[in-house]
Amino acid sequence: MKLLVTGGAGFIGANFVDYVLKHHNDYEIIVCDKLTYAGDMERLRDWKNNPRLTFYKVDITDRNSLREILSKEKINSIIHFAAESHVDRSIQDASPFIETNIKGTQILLDISLKHNIEKFIHISTDEVYGELGLEGKFSEDMPLNPSSPYSASKAATDLLIKSYIRTHQLPAIIIRPCNNYGPWQYPEKFIPVIIYKAMKNEKIPVYGQGLNIREWLYVEDCCNGILEIFEKGKIGEIYNLGSGEERKNIDVVKTILQIINKPESLIEFVTDRPGHDFRYSLETKKVKSDIAWKPSYSFEKGIEKTIQWNLENLNWIERKILFLRDLWEKVYR
Ligand code: NAD
């Protein structure tokens, strides 16, 4: 089985590549990644020089290069992670989100049809549904109601894929995971930022009063879920991939501070993000009944492992933070 994994040098993509190569000897993987600020081959260091992994530095909006790769490699299926993924950046500048997330995906869809790809797995997000109040859950058939340019670009892509399934019989499945956390997450995202700042005794910025609620899925569970859906899921379906582990942001911060033994006085409430969704929560009956998938990590177990990984890889985190500060000053100041 030869898989093309787009965005395979990113946080979830690289964890997925690692998971598949470790657990399934019969899979070969071709990674296509542009290596934006968020991509890093360091995440795939354990598979460097391994013949089961081939890497192409390529932009998914580059139709000709993708065509060449698909003509050369005999690819069975595509798992599509590549995206601009940070909500705050999409508020600063939506253009790269439209280019990569919508246009890039459309190019991949066309090429998938041309090369008779057996399955196209699209990694969407719970954010396409918009926000919930304290009650209720999102099921797969609910209307999309995105709030940020990031989630709007992902929702647009979901609709585009649905149209290719209906019109062109593209053999696709859409997966909507909730918030991921775990090893190799870029330290501009909520959990690694808290861990880093707490370790450095720096103030920890929390939007509003920290009352927003997210559902947290340990990245290894997400990767296992994606592979299970790829192997057993029904073509044309949408699957929510949630953990049921809902936490208020402020409680996530307090849990991390407690584990690494730092004071709550580090918490600093800052002006809320515009359009900040209050709560996400996924109904996961479908993935449980069709695939018999369930996550194996509780939030407590996953966060312990994540903190441990961040402590052991402080050099990598530090390099990323310095690079980010530099980039931020060049681009936005
Ligand atoms: P990430 O930002 O860590 O990684 C994205 C990867 O895509 C990077 O390696 C980057 O170099 C690559 N990329 C970006 N633009 C590209 C382009 N034009 N061509 C080729 N490669 C390009 O993102 P992530 O957190 O790993 O998320 C992966 C996917 O999962 C995304 O589609 C995201 O929307 C979705 N998702 C993420 C989460 C989460 O909590 N992280 C939750 C639900 C869904």
Side-chain angles (χ1 to χ4, degrees), residues 242-309:
S243 62
E245 295 278 6
E246 289 184 44
R247 296 286 183 285
K248 281 186 198 139
N249 287 348
I250 190 67
D251 293 338
V252 172
V253 179
K254 286 181 180 171
T255 303
I256 293 172
L257 288 174
Q258 200 180 20
I259 295 172
I260 53 182
N261 206 14
K262 298 284 179 172
E264 289 185 8
S265 55
L266 288 178
I267 297 171
E268 182 177 59
F269 294 109
V270 298
T271 312
D272 209 353
R273 168 194 278 166
H276 199 182
D277 287 333
F278 175 64
R279 174 172 168 254
Y280 307 128
S281 179
L282 291 176
E283 172 60 69
T284 51
K285 277 187 199 143
K286 203 202 265 188
V287 73
K288 283 179 184 141
S289 65
D290 282 11
I291 322 282
W293 174 87
K294 61 176 173 40
S296 57
Y297 282 84
S298 65
F299 183 70
E300 283 62 35
K301 190 169 145 203
I303 200 71
E304 288 266 3
K305 281 195 81 154
T306 305
I307 291 172
Q308 190 59 32
W309 186 90

Side-chain angles (χ1 to χ4, degrees), residues 14 26 46 48 71 89 94 101 113 147 157 162 165 173 186 251 264 277 313 315:
D26 48 341
D46 290 353
K48 206 176 166 190
S71 302
R89 283 176 190 274
N101 301 3
L113 286 175
S147 304
T157 305
K162 280 180 70 143
I165 295 170
I173 297 175
Y186 202 89
D251 293 338
E264 289 185 8
D277 287 333
N313 291 274
N315 278 345

Side-chain angles (χ1 to χ4, degrees), residues 10-291:
F11 163 50
I12 309 180
N15 272 284
F16 179 79
V17 170
D18 185 63
Y19 181 85
V20 172
L21 291 177
K22 247 185 212 150
H23 293 89
H24 298 271
N25 287 332
D26 48 341
Y27 278 81
E28 260 182 65
I29 293 187
I30 311 293
V31 166
C32 287
D33 197 299
K34 183 182 174 182
L35 296 182
T36 66
Y37 78 95
D40 190 347
M41 289 303 286
E42 184 75 9
R43 292 188 175 106
L44 297 171
R45 65 187 174 199
D46 290 353
W47 301 100
K48 206 176 166 190
N49 302 326
N50 188 307
R52 292 174 58 213
L53 176 66
T54 307
F55 175 73
Y56 290 94
K57 184 174 187 308
V58 62
D59 188 326
I60 56 163
T61 63
D62 177 355
R63 191 183 290 268
N64 290 339
S65 298
L66 280 179
R67 264 203 207 124
E68 272 173 35
I69 295 167
L70 270 106
S71 302
K72 187 169 161 220
E73 307 281 355
K74 296 279 164 276
I75 285 156
N76 301 94
S77 293
I78 296 181
I79 319 283
H80 177 35
F81 293 92
E84 288 291 337
S85 69
H86 193 44
V87 174
D88 289 340
R89 283 176 190 274
S90 79
I91 295 169
Q92 285 280 343
D93 179 9
S95 309
F97 290 75
I98 307 307
E99 275 297 305
T100 290
N101 301 3
I102 305 179
K103 191 173 157 203
T105 304
Q106 181 249 318
I107 288 170
L108 272 176
L109 296 176
D110 286 347
I111 290 178
S112 300
L113 286 175
K114 213 171 173 64
H115 286 264
N116 295 317
I117 287 298
E118 289 160 28
K119 277 186 206 172
F120 185 97
I121 307 294
H122 175 65
I123 312 304
S124 179
T125 167
D126 59 355
E127 298 191 30
V128 295
Y129 296 113
E131 73 173 350
L132 287 169
L134 278 172
E135 299 296 319
K137 283 183 177 295
F138 294 124
S139 57
E140 287 87 350
D141 53 1
M142 275 184 169
L144 306 187
N145 189 20
S147 304
S148 70
Y150 161 68
S151 51
S153 71
K154 298 291 289 188
T157 305
D158 283 15
L159 295 180
L160 194 62
I161 294 174
K162 280 180 70 143
S163 79
Y164 273 63
I165 295 170
R166 175 92 197 266
T167 304
H168 298 295
Q169 291 76 50
L170 179 78
I173 297 175
I174 296 171
I175 303 179
R176 295 182 179 145
C178 62
N179 273 37
N180 272 233
Y181 67 104
W184 294 114
Q185 189 163 28
Y186 202 89
E188 64 179 352
K189 300 279 170 78
F190 187 59
I191 286 185
V193 166
I194 301 165
I195 299 173
Y196 178 78
K197 291 200 176 270
M199 282 183 325
K200 293 284 174 183
N201 296 310
E202 289 178 14
K203 286 283 181 193
I204 297 167
V206 176
Y207 281 136
Q209 292 301 305
L211 299 177
N212 303 58
I213 297 169
R214 296 291 177 267
E215 183 175 355
W216 292 100
L217 179 62
Y218 189 62
V219 67
E220 189 183 315
D221 276 334
C222 183
C223 295
N224 162 275
I226 291 169
L227 188 66
E228 291 275 311
I229 294 171
F230 164 66
E231 289 179 339
K232 303 179 200 153
K234 292 184 190 151
I235 295 294
E237 288 291 336
I238 299 173
Y239 290 98
N240 286 343
L241 203 56
S243 62
E245 295 278 6
E246 289 184 44
R247 296 286 183 285
K248 281 186 198 139
N249 287 348
I250 190 67
D251 293 338
V252 172
V253 179
K254 286 181 180 171
T255 303
I256 293 172
L257 288 174
Q258 200 180 20
I259 295 172
I260 53 182
N261 206 14
K262 298 284 179 172
E264 289 185 8
S265 55
L266 288 178
I267 297 171
E268 182 177 59
F269 294 109
V270 298
T271 312
D272 209 353
R273 168 194 278 166
H276 199 182
D277 287 333
F278 175 64
R279 174 172 168 254
Y280 307 128
S281 179
L282 291 176
E283 172 60 69
T284 51
K285 277 187 199 143
K286 203 202 265 188
V287 73
K288 283 179 184 141
S289 65
D290 282 11
I291 322 282

